[in-house]
């Protein structure tokens, strides 16, 4: 069956160029039409509308080679031999699956998204009806943006991240995605700046700096989710970005623990500071082992290699409840909040003691996980 021509209809150029979670609505709709398999697509948003240079660049990026035109698509339907036209309401931002359902339906319509597949001679009439319903387009586009941001959560989120960090980071992401040109790297740099302020507080503000540093460590843990949310919302995920994010995460974690140890040492708590330094040595040893194993196998470096190994040891590829519990307890979102609370209650020495024990256990887990690789 030949797929129909796609015609994406907006009530106005303003609606077509409105940012929906960081991406112009027209570009986001074009991407879904391409994912649905349509080879040719028109975008119409009122007489004489042409996309701005920024919107056109985003359309080109997300069209991925699909033939995209602007204006009334009915003439091309005839010239291109299309006997059917998929009328896609841009303000409803239907997903590719909804477009495919409409194509497969006998009457060519999905009630949820009002995607209609009609004979080419009816296309202009249907487009007129869609445009007339544009009074609600602003509300619909705002709802679509909220849905996109909500979808950026990860199934692997820990308990703290799911119930505390993620709601806050998504609120921050939703705000930042209103700004044209926002990129994941901007959020990654933001996390790095929070980490730098955290380390400075731990080094120079004594007991007060310890509390401020703990608060900033938790803030960095929350803000760390923003770059990933922006990348998923704007379709800008990349191996280089993921690697940079992982490096900033590691630097933040290490600088926090090192800063707490130095802070306690400067205040005469030498024994507890030593726990921190020992934990850092154990942690560094494990990271070196992971890095060497990755270099030998020519695989990308990943901090998740231990989790992945023990996940595979579970039933049907699912980790045991014990492993799930340990994963939650050793995840950054959990220990950042736990350490912040312990320090707030004056238990900073306990933080480093717990860290040293956890680092020793983690090193043993790394050795056991990499043993097959080394054999």
């Amino acid at each position: 069956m030949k797929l129909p021509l796609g015609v994406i209809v907006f009530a106005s150029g303003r609606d077509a160029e409105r940012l929906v979670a960081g991406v112009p609505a027209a570009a986001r709709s074009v991407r879904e039409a391409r994912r649905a398999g349509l080879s040719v697509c028109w975008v119409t948003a009122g007489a004489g509308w042409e996309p701005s240079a920024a919107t056109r660049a985003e359309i080109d990026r997300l069209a991925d080679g699909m033939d995209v035109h602007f204006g009334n698509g009915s003439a091309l339907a005839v010239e291109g031999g299309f006997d059917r036209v998929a009328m896609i309401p841009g303000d409803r931002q239907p997903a590719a699956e909804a477009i495919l359902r409409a194509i497969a339906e006998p009457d060519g319509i999905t009630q949820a998204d009002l995607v209609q597949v009609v004979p080419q001679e009816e296309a202009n009439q249907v487009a007129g009806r869609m445009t007339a319903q544009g009074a609600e387009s602003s509300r619909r586009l705002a709802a679509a943006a909220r849905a996109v941001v909500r979808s950026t959560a990860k199934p692997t989120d820990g308990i703290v991240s799911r119930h505390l960090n993620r709601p806050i980071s998504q609120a921050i992401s939703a705000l930042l995605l209103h700004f044209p040109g926002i990129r994941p790297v901007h959020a990654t740099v933001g996390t790095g700046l929070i980490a730098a302020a955290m380390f400075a507080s731990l080094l120079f503000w004594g007991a007060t700096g310890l509390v401020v540093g703990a608060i900033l460590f938790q803030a960095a843990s929350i803000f760390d989710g923003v770059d990933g949310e922006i990348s998923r919302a704007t379709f800008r995920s990349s191996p280089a970005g993921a690697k940079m994010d992982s490096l900033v995460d590691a630097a933040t974690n290490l600088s926090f623990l090192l800063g707490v140890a130095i802070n306690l040492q400067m205040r005469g708590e030498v024994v507890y500071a030593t726990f921190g330094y020992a934990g850092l040595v154990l942690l560094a040893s494990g990271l070196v082992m992971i890095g060497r194993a990755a270099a030998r196998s020519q695989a990308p470096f990943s901090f998740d290699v231990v989790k992945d190994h023990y996940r595979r040891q579970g039933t049907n590829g699912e980790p045991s409840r014990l492993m799930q519990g340990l994963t939650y307890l050793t995840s950054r979102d959990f220990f950042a909040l736990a350490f912040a609370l312990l320090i707030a209650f004056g238990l900073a020495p306990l933080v480093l003691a717990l860290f040293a024990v956890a680092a020793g256990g983690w090193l043993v887990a790394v050795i056991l996980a990499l043993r097959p690789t080394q054999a």
Side-chain angles (χ1 to χ4, degrees), residues 84 172 182 184 248 347 354 372:
R84 298 187 306 157
I172 296 170
I182 190 70
V248 171
L347 298 174
L354 289 173

Side-chain angles (χ1 to χ4, degrees), residues 270-295:
V270 178
V271 173
Y272 290 106
T274 303
F275 279 125
Y277 297 138
L280 287 169
V281 171
L282 294 171
L283 182 62
S285 300
L287 293 177
V288 169
M289 292 179 65
I290 293 174
R292 291 180 62 185

Side-chain angles (χ1 to χ4, degrees), residues 154-163 307 311 319-336 338:
K154 296 166 63 177
T156 55
D157 282 345
I159 296 173
V160 173
S161 183
R162 188 180 305 120
H163 298 292
K307 291 187 207 175
R311 187 179 294 117
S320 65
R321 290 191 176 182
L322 175 61
M323 186 59 200
Q324 286 180 325
L326 290 174
T327 299
Y328 285 142
L329 290 175
T330 56
S331 62
R332 178 184 175 184
D333 61 321
F334 183 88
F335 73 71

Side-chain angles (χ1 to χ4, degrees), residues 14-365:
R14 180 179 180 182
D15 288 342
E17 306 216 20
R18 175 171 174 166
L19 290 182
V20 175
V23 176
R28 197 174 281 279
S29 291
V30 165
R31 177 183 183 269
E32 296 308 307
R34 188 258 301 167
R35 289 182 63 238
L38 303 186
S39 59
V40 182
C41 182
W42 281 73
V43 184
T44 178
W49 173 75
E50 288 286 337
S52 66
T55 297
R56 183 58 189 262
E58 287 290 85
I59 289 174
D60 290 343
R61 177 174 72 90
L62 297 177
D64 195 24
M66 185 175 70
D67 194 7
V68 182
H69 303 268
F70 306 96
N72 190 324
S74 60
L76 187 66
V78 177
E79 295 170 4
F82 293 97
D83 57 351
R84 298 187 306 157
V85 181
M87 305 299 297
I88 303 168
D91 63 341
R92 293 180 184 269
Q93 293 287 289
E97 293 74 17
I99 299 172
L100 286 170
R101 285 198 303 270
I103 294 171
E105 286 289 327
D107 57 358
I109 182 171
T110 59
Q111 295 297 327
D113 301 285
L114 297 183
V115 178
Q116 301 181 50
V117 180
V118 300
Q120 60 86 13
E121 60 268 16
E122 297 180 19
N124 286 338
Q125 182 181 0
V126 173
R129 288 200 300 268
M130 286 183 173
T131 302
Q133 298 172 1
E136 294 291 315
S137 61
S138 179
R139 178 183 62 80
R140 290 169 180 160
L141 290 171
R146 290 192 294 271
V148 169
V149 173
R150 285 196 301 271
S151 72
T152 58
K154 296 166 63 177
T156 55
D157 282 345
I159 296 173
V160 173
S161 183
R162 188 180 305 120
H163 298 292
L164 175 64
N165 293 8
R166 187 66 71 183
I168 298 173
S169 65
Q170 286 184 336
I172 296 170
S173 295
L175 177 63
L176 293 177
L177 286 166
H178 283 95
F179 294 93
I182 190 70
R183 297 290 183 268
V185 68
H186 299 147
T188 304
V189 170
T191 302
L193 292 175
I194 295 173
M198 170 200 74
F199 192 59
S201 299
L202 292 169
L203 291 187
F204 302 117
W205 288 2
T208 301
L210 200 60
V211 175
V212 172
I215 294 171
L216 288 175
F217 185 46
Q218 172 61 14
S221 179
I222 293 172
F223 201 80
D224 175 53
V226 174
D227 54 3
E229 290 161 6
I230 291 176
S231 68
R232 291 187 288 277
T234 60
F235 317 111
R236 294 185 181 278
S237 299
S238 69
K243 183 177 181 180
M244 181 178 179
D245 179 46
S246 295
L247 291 174
V248 171
D249 289 351
T252 302
N253 295 341
L254 294 174
S255 62
F256 171 72
L257 294 163
L258 177 61
V260 172
I262 294 173
N263 183 290
L264 291 180
Q265 181 179 356
M266 290 191 299
R267 293 166 52 217
E269 301 278 0
V270 178
V271 173
Y272 290 106
T274 303
F275 279 125
Y277 297 138
L280 287 169
V281 171
L282 294 171
L283 182 62
S285 300
L287 293 177
V288 169
M289 292 179 65
I290 293 174
R292 291 180 62 185
R296 283 196 300 268
S297 62
Q298 297 184 337
F301 180 89
S302 173
F303 293 104
D304 294 331
V305 63
V306 178
K307 291 187 207 175
D308 293 342
H309 170 79
Y310 289 103
R311 187 179 294 117
R312 291 193 297 269
Q313 306 305 308
T315 305
N316 298 323
E318 292 294 325
S320 65
R321 290 191 176 182
L322 175 61
M323 186 59 200
Q324 286 180 325
L326 290 174
T327 299
Y328 285 142
L329 290 175
T330 56
S331 62
R332 178 184 175 184
D333 61 321
F334 183 88
F335 73 71
L337 179 61
F339 285 3
L341 291 175
L342 287 172
I343 289 175
F345 285 102
L347 298 174
L350 181 59
V351 166
L352 295 185
L354 289 173
F355 165 61
V357 172
W362 181 77
L363 179 59
V364 171

